[in-house]
Amino acid sequence: MLSMDLDDLDDAELLLALRSQPEAFAALYRRYERPVLAWLVRRTGRADLAADLTAETFAGALESLRRDTGPSGPFAPWIFTIARNKLADTQRRGHAEDSARRRLEMDPVLLGPVELSAIDRLADDAVVLDLVSALPADQREAVVARIIDEKDYAEIAAELRCSELVVRKRVSRGLAGLRLRLEGNAS
Amino acid sequence: MSLLPGLEAELLGAARRTDPSSAPVRARPPRRGRHHRRFGLYSVVAFLALSGGAYAARGLWQPVLGNDVTGRPAASYDAPPREQLDVLGVLRRPQTDADRGIASSAALRGFRPADGDVRTGWVRRLTTLANGSAVVLIPVDQRRGDDTAYAKRDDAQLCLAVVPTRGEMPAPQCTPTSGLLVGEGLTTEVWDPLTPQQERDRAAAIRRAERAGDLPRVTDPNASVAVSEKVAGQIERATYASRPKGGPYSVSLVPDVVHSVRFVNTPGQPVRLVRDNLVVQHARPGEYPSMTSWIDVNGRTLNADGVRVAPSAIVP
């Protein structure tokens, strides 16, 4: 099976595939990298620490899977449990551990200003996307299409079967609502 | 697309090494201990080890240029034009390991395609400022996307990139060779990096000001924009920063003929020596050391009162 196909498998299938295809773990990493990074950066407030903990989380997960002590249920809550434990360890020790990575002989990874900035933004994005999902349905559709998917107003209007003016109003009201809620969050 | 492709690659490597279905498992050679433990700068060192290997093997330094977010500029293996080599000794000396070090790699990863094709063999690390920021000279042989009159008639550019110890790297400052030849030099301002709290305060201030409609917007077509920034109205990226408390560093690239530089509009008019074609002045808060006089090795002022220097005085 080509590694490209792995991304189409669900988590349980990937865990099975991992027994014969190491690439399956890379697919799991790609799937859960952003959620785990976002979760950690929101709790630590530090992009570098969040990246460090993410690396240790996935390294720990790989070790467990190789010892056949993987998840008894779905992968998602399991990987977040590992992340939560790694975070708790870090808070207790005052620094992030790297024992799993050392045992796996993993080298450090380049983490420059661009990566750090992108990780920082994950925290903001996670908050905003939560707020987007709480918008009224018509505004949510319009905001997602315009702001996240970056579609033209004409294209959105055709999809939603309404006029461009209506779409613009929905986007405008949705953004106004989001900004108000963001301000509320900030204060 | 992965945010940390390097980590994905490392995890994949670890998964392969521990794959029970492929025997025998080949271990990695012993590592050099715990020094590789941390992300961040140490990780850049690891990256550089790879870059150095490529350099040694192929005779050319082939660093990673740009990134997946802002795009990847091309490399140029042509030497800079004679007019640059004639006036900048730092380009005539051989490239060193320090030139190919952490700072230069970070600077090149922040370089955008619109900045030009990078002459990788002539990248030079010029200095490290007292605040830890590194200054890197990046010659380019084309400045695409720039429609200034200079760029139209002179596509050999010189860029100064400043790599801060934390936070986002500012866009490099670039000048065509002609700018250097008429005595304008290439100057960039460097501020102390903002603390995380200052970054948050700045973002909040920008949002407040934009909502009130009292702040102009700066268009940066290459900026990567997060959803949160779009919602906050920063589709056109705002680059006006709330400044840190310390004054700026004025960092100028000057030709060989300049031995020292007098900072004319700074109290006491301090004179700073040029090293590696670079002169640095750290201003106090509120000072903006923009006006300079160039002084040659004989103490002669080359461009008093901002008068441009005749090319004959610069080109040997």
Side-chain angles (χ1 to χ4, degrees):
Chain A
M1 186 185 294
L2 294 173
S3 60
M4 280 178 66
D5 299 328
L6 291 170
D7 287 320
D8 296 327
L9 301 181
D10 65 25
D11 292 356
E13 290 168 327
L14 282 174
L15 290 173
L16 273 178
L18 181 59
R19 293 177 184 174
S20 58
Q21 293 179 80
E23 292 79 9
F25 192 75
L28 281 167
Y29 170 75
R30 283 193 295 274
R31 189 168 298 172
Y32 286 97
E33 179 203 53
R34 282 169 191 259
V36 170
L37 262 175
W39 189 86
L40 285 166
V41 76
R42 281 158 66 187
R43 276 152 186 80
T44 61
R46 279 180 49 194
D48 59 335
L49 182 57
D52 220 359
L53 285 168
T54 300
E56 190 65 11
T57 295
F58 280 94
L62 178 60
E63 275 196 316
S64 294
L65 291 166
R66 289 306 191 208
R67 288 196 304 261
D68 280 334
T69 53
S72 53
F75 181 82
W78 182 68
I79 193 77
F80 277 98
T81 300
I82 298 175
R84 191 177 297 112
N85 290 339
K86 298 291 182 192
L87 177 61
D89 274 348
T90 299
Q91 288 165 339
R92 193 168 55 245
R93 295 168 191 270
H95 63 85
E97 270 291 279
D98 64 340
S99 51
R101 280 172 285 171
R102 279 191 286 121
R103 284 191 295 272
L104 289 170
E105 300 180 330
M106 286 171 59
D107 271 347
V109 174
L110 174 66
L111 195 63
V114 172
E115 286 85 355
L116 289 171
S117 171
I119 295 169
D120 271 329
R121 285 201 299 265
L122 280 179
D124 292 335
D125 280 358
V127 173
V128 171
L129 292 174
D130 280 347
L131 294 176
V132 168
S133 65
L135 285 174
D138 59 341
Q139 292 176 18
R140 184 175 64 240
E141 277 180 326
V143 166
V144 167
R146 178 65 189 143
I147 302 296
I148 297 174
D149 297 340
E150 297 186 328
K151 292 178 180 171
D152 293 334
Y153 279 111
E155 192 182 352
I156 302 169
E159 280 177 10
L160 300 181
R161 297 183 181 182
C162 60
S163 71
E164 280 188 43
L165 186 62
V166 168
V167 176
R168 285 177 189 276
K169 279 186 178 172
R170 287 178 185 173
V171 170
S172 170
R173 285 175 186 157
L175 286 177
L178 285 175
R179 285 172 189 154
L180 269 179
R181 289 179 173 91
L182 276 174
E183 224 172 60
N185 277 3
S187 64
Chain B
M1 186 181 68
S2 171
L3 274 179
L4 302 173
L7 176 56
E8 182 185 335
E10 279 299 317
L11 286 166
L12 177 57
R16 284 178 174 150
R17 286 193 296 277
T18 55
D19 182 7
S21 66
S22 76
V25 175
R26 192 161 57 97
R28 276 197 169 181
R31 291 171 52 193
R32 285 174 288 175
R34 291 178 60 84
H35 296 295
H36 288 264
R37 187 171 69 81
R38 310 293 289 177
F39 261 80
L41 289 181
Y42 288 125
S43 58
V44 181
V45 173
F47 160 73
L48 287 170
L50 291 172
S51 301
Y55 172 77
R58 307 180 68 167
L60 287 170
W61 185 39
Q62 297 182 313
V64 175
L65 300 177
N67 56 76
D68 288 338
V69 178
T70 57
R72 302 206 175 264
S76 168
Y77 301 112
D78 295 334
R82 174 55 52 192
E83 56 187 358
Q84 283 183 3
L85 294 172
D86 282 347
V87 300
L88 290 173
V90 74
L91 289 181
R92 294 194 298 274
R93 69 162 170 77
Q95 193 178 48
T96 65
D97 287 343
D99 292 327
R100 295 184 289 266
I102 295 170
S104 300
S105 293
L108 293 174
R109 284 178 63 81
F111 216 66
R112 303 165 306 178
D115 294 325
D117 298 346
V118 179
R119 298 186 201 275
T120 52
W122 286 266
V123 171
R124 301 287 188 264
R125 178 182 175 138
L126 299 180
T127 193
T128 301
L129 304 177
N131 69 4
S133 298
V135 182
V136 179
L137 174 64
I138 304 175
V140 298
D141 69 356
Q142 187 178 18
R143 190 145 197 242
R144 290 178 293 192
D146 190 331
D147 61 356
T148 63
Y150 269 143
K152 279 177 182 167
R153 66 169 196 260
D154 180 356
D155 59 9
Q157 300 262 340
L158 295 159
C159 299
L160 278 183
V162 176
V163 184
T165 51
R166 63 173 183 272
E168 199 167 344
M169 192 179 85
Q173 294 287 312
C174 300
T175 186
T177 315
S178 52
L180 205 67
L181 296 179
V182 297
E184 292 177 345
L186 170 58
T187 300
T188 187
E189 261 184 12
V190 184
W191 295 79
D192 289 335
L194 296 178
T195 64
Q197 183 58 48
Q198 283 174 319
E199 290 278 8
R200 286 193 286 275
D201 291 347
R202 181 185 74 157
I206 289 173
R207 280 199 296 273
R208 278 197 302 276
E210 286 195 336
R211 276 199 296 275
D214 62 358
L215 207 59
R217 288 180 173 179
V218 179
T219 301
D220 181 353
N222 294 296
S224 63
V225 183
V227 175
S228 51
E229 289 173 308
K230 292 178 185 176
V231 170
Q234 291 174 252
I235 293 172
E236 293 166 279
R237 191 172 196 154
T239 57
Y240 15 73
S242 57
R243 297 300 191 192
K245 286 182 182 173
Y249 294 79
S250 171
V251 178
S252 298
L253 185 75
V254 294
D256 294 339
V257 69
V258 184
H259 175 261
S260 57
V261 169
R262 175 178 289 115
F263 289 83
V264 177
N265 62 342
T266 300
Q269 299 199 345
V271 175
R272 301 282 176 246
L273 284 177
V274 174
R275 293 183 198 284
D276 258 1
N277 293 110
L278 197 77
V279 65
V280 176
Q281 164 68 5
H282 190 188
R284 284 175 294 210
E287 292 175 3
Y288 295 92
S290 53
M291 282 194 60
T292 57
S293 283
W294 291 357
I295 301 168
D296 70 10
V297 70
N298 298 315
R300 188 169 58 112
T301 298
L302 297 172
N303 60 344
D305 301 324
V307 175
R308 289 179 172 183
V309 184
S312 60
I314 294 176
V315 180

